[in-house]
Amino acid sequence: MSRKVDSVKDINDSKETWRLVVRIMDVWSIVNNKGIEHLEMIVMDSLGDRIQVLIRHDHLLKWKEVIKENMTCIINNDSVYNNDFQWKVCDHSKKFVFLGGTTMKAIELQNIPPKGYFFKDFGEILQGKCKTDRLEDIIGAVSEINHIQSNTPVKKVVVSVVLKDLK
């Protein structure tokens, strides 16, 4: 008999292993200033609840070619930690981390909606109703570029822009 499937909204510190049936909404690679790469992704269950996932550099080779955006899958045996990412992309207070014993099986599911956006209204942003460490989906246009700094100590280009609400 297979284990019960857990809901993303129920994820907490109460147990060590979880079983999720999810759609991979977004996947991206991050390379730190020492050249070490890791993956991050957002997964969503059939109820629309999302959680951020980390695949550390020591597990990258195992997963990099397997994980595809928009695939549906069953994920078993990841570990739960507090979501301490500098920039969060969903509201869940926890994050999943793939470990050596993590398994993932691709399955075809129609009950989890395809990639969607969760647009934040400009008014809410201007009124300070957003978390300052959260990346939000918005609909807008760059109306002005105020400042470009390309000679920063970490060799990244910093751009300051003004966005215009297209609503």
Side-chain angles (χ1 to χ4, degrees):
M1 176 179 270
S2 64
R3 276 184 16 213
K4 172 187 167 287
V5 172
D6 299 298
S7 295
V8 167
K9 71 178 177 182
D10 295 332
I11 294 169
N12 58 49
D13 294 335
S14 68
K15 60 183 186 176
E16 290 188 22
T17 59
W18 297 83
R19 178 179 173 88
L20 295 180
V21 175
V22 294
R23 180 176 304 275
I24 297 174
M25 304 300 286
D26 206 352
V27 181
W28 61 97
S29 174
I30 296 179
V31 179
N32 69 16
N33 58 2
K34 296 178 182 173
I36 299 172
E37 180 183 15
H38 72 270
L39 291 180
E40 292 183 23
M41 62 183 175
I42 301 297
V43 299
M44 183 173 77
D45 67 13
S46 62
L47 300 173
D49 294 309
R50 301 178 300 157
I51 190 166
Q52 204 160 343
V53 179
L54 168 70
I55 301 173
R56 297 185 327 220
H57 67 93
D58 50 338
H59 299 292
L60 189 64
L61 288 177
K62 177 179 179 180
W63 297 109
K64 192 168 186 175
E65 298 303 318
V66 175
I67 292 173
K68 302 292 181 214
E69 195 170 295
N70 206 35
M71 73 183 283
T72 50
C73 57
I74 300 172
I75 301 173
N76 290 292
N77 303 329
D78 0 28
S79 277
V80 176
Y81 296 91
N82 289 329
N83 187 350
D84 60 356
F85 287 117
Q86 181 179 3
W87 301 105
K88 296 166 182 62
V89 292
C90 58
D91 285 329
H92 208 295
S93 65
K94 301 297 180 188
K95 68 180 175 188
F96 263 160
V97 177
F98 275 35
L99 300 174
T102 300
T103 63
M104 184 175 79
K105 179 181 178 184
I107 55 171
E108 287 296 322
L109 290 173
Q110 302 303 318
N111 67 332
I112 304 174
K115 183 174 181 172
Y117 296 93
F118 299 85
F119 293 111
K120 187 63 79 172
D121 186 83
F122 266 70
E124 290 181 58
I125 295 169
L126 294 172
Q127 293 170 15
K129 293 182 179 177
C130 297
K131 297 177 182 176
T132 58
D133 64 348
R134 166 97 191 260
L135 300 175
E136 300 288 357
D137 295 326
I138 61 169
I139 297 177
V142 175
S143 66
E144 192 177 320
I145 297 176
N146 286 337
H147 180 71
I148 299 176
Q149 180 181 354
S150 59
N151 59 349
T152 64
V154 290
K155 298 181 183 176
K156 292 183 181 179
V157 176
V158 178
V159 180
S160 173
V161 299
V162 175
L163 298 175
K164 180 179 180 183
D165 190 353
L166 294 180
K167 189 167 139 187

